[in-house]
Amino acid sequence: MPTHIALEFSDQSFEDCKSSVIISITDLHGRHQERVRLGVVLAETMYDRIDKGEVVNLDMRYVKDFSLKKYRRSRKIVEDEELELRDFSASWAYFDGVEPTDLIHVRFTGSSTSFTHCLFGDCPLSFFNSKFHADITDFSLSHFGAGVANFQYAEFKSKSINFDHAIFETGDVHFVNCEFGDCKVSFREVNFGEGKVDFHYTRFGDGPITFDKCIFGGGEVSFKRVDFGDGKVDFKRSHFGDGEIDFSEADFRQGKVIFRSAIFG
């Protein structure tokens, strides 16, 4: 880490897409990790589906400059008006572009919201003030680039919330003032990269929370004033880097707290 992503665009069709792109991912040492073909879709095509109230499915798709801020502006919708996206799926999708990827003020509903294996480019990414209310919210194995990943004020009320094995590269990670429901929340084996990781003022419910085997890089790590609820909180085998670590005024309530075999510095 950081990884290198190469793009090979082609006129070869892919499923219902007229063109495609081959995504090749290698690590810092030049070791091949993934090579996959995705269909190319226009952001405007997805905006049209939102207009019609259709399910937005970006599985195995490459999309550039996807921005709900731009969508709202083009439709003369108030900037902070909430949009509902039912059963939104972007498994093995790649969000690329020169402008920020914007998914702010969205209410994700339905049976599942999936970003599994999703690639986010190096531009800033924002889920600011979005609500994850689908039965399942899944960011497992997702890959966040060098830009800031902003989940500030997000609300997670799914029955299952999963960020397992996600990778954040060099950008800051903001889960500030978020609210999680009473379900299991899993950040197992997440690599939070080299940026600042900030969860301060976030409120968890009474379900179990795991950060088992997470890697926190050299940036500041803040769980200041976090309410961890009454569930079990597990940081065992996590590796905290050389940055400042702040758990001041965090409230663990009645739940069991585990830092067994965690490494600090």
Side-chain angles (χ1 to χ4, degrees):
M1 214 179 72
T3 55
H4 174 70
I5 298 175
L7 306 177
E8 302 172 43
F9 289 95
S10 167
D11 290 332
Q12 180 177 332
S13 62
F14 180 84
E15 296 180 350
D16 61 349
C17 298
K18 295 181 179 179
S19 60
S20 60
V21 58
I22 294 176
I23 312 290
S24 298
I25 305 172
T26 55
D27 65 17
L28 183 63
H29 305 288
R31 292 183 296 231
H32 174 73
Q33 293 181 314
E34 301 283 355
R35 182 177 170 86
V36 62
R37 184 181 294 275
L38 306 179
V40 176
V41 297
L42 299 176
E44 185 62 37
T45 301
M46 298 300 104
Y47 301 159
D48 289 342
R49 291 184 184 178
I50 295 173
D51 287 339
K52 297 173 183 176
E54 297 176 353
V55 170
V56 176
N57 189 321
L58 285 165
D59 292 353
M60 303 294 292
R61 296 293 183 266
Y62 169 94
V63 60
K64 189 172 183 179
D65 293 330
F66 186 89
S67 169
L68 293 182
K69 182 176 183 178
K70 185 185 297 184
Y71 166 79
R72 288 183 176 91
R73 188 184 303 127
S74 68
R75 271 65 174 176
K76 294 182 171 54
I77 298 173
V78 177
E79 185 173 333
D80 60 355
E81 181 176 326
E82 186 175 87
L83 299 174
E84 181 177 0
L85 295 179
R86 185 174 182 82
D87 292 320
F88 184 94
S89 188
S91 296
W92 285 102
Y94 183 19
F95 290 88
D96 195 12
V98 295
E99 298 182 10
T101 299
D102 182 318
L103 286 148
I104 69 173
H105 302 298
V106 176
R107 184 161 59 93
F108 294 98
T109 62
S111 60
S112 176
T113 297
S114 179
F115 288 91
T116 60
H117 288 277
C118 186
L119 286 168
F120 296 97
D122 289 334
C123 291
L125 165 70
S126 183
F127 287 92
F128 179 85
N129 200 39
S130 285
K131 297 177 174 63
F132 295 89
H133 289 181
D135 292 342
I136 296 171
T137 295
D138 195 350
F139 280 88
S140 63
L141 295 159
S142 52
H143 190 128
F144 299 82
V148 172
N150 184 14
F151 288 85
Q152 187 170 4
Y153 292 106
E155 183 179 275
F156 296 87
K157 291 298 179 71
S158 300
K159 297 175 183 177
S160 172
I161 300 164
N162 187 354
F163 280 84
D164 290 357
H165 301 278
I167 295 174
F168 296 86
E169 293 216 357
T170 55
D172 292 345
V173 181
H174 297 304
F175 281 90
V176 177
N177 237 315
C178 293
E179 185 170 348
F180 290 84
D182 290 332
C183 70
K184 178 179 180 180
V185 178
S186 185
F187 286 88
R188 187 184 305 275
E189 295 190 54
V190 171
N191 190 327
F192 282 102
E194 299 301 319
K196 179 180 179 180
V197 180
D198 196 349
F199 278 82
H200 80 263
Y201 300 123
T202 284
R203 299 166 299 283
F204 290 93
D206 294 334
I209 307 160
T210 182
F211 288 88
D212 180 23
K213 295 181 72 174
C214 283
I215 298 175
F216 298 90
E220 177 185 342
V221 178
S222 177
F223 286 90
K224 182 177 181 179
R225 294 187 181 178
V226 169
D227 182 350
F228 285 98
D230 289 318
K232 176 182 175 183
V233 182
D234 188 355
F235 281 93
K236 70 174 178 290
R237 298 178 290 181
S238 286
H239 192 164
F240 293 86
D242 296 327
E244 181 180 347
I245 303 166
D246 188 356
F247 280 87
S248 62
E249 299 181 70
D251 188 356
F252 291 93
R253 299 205 206 172
Q254 303 298 316
K256 184 177 182 180
V257 182
I258 302 172
F259 280 90
R260 186 174 63 249
S261 299
I263 299 172
F264 293 86

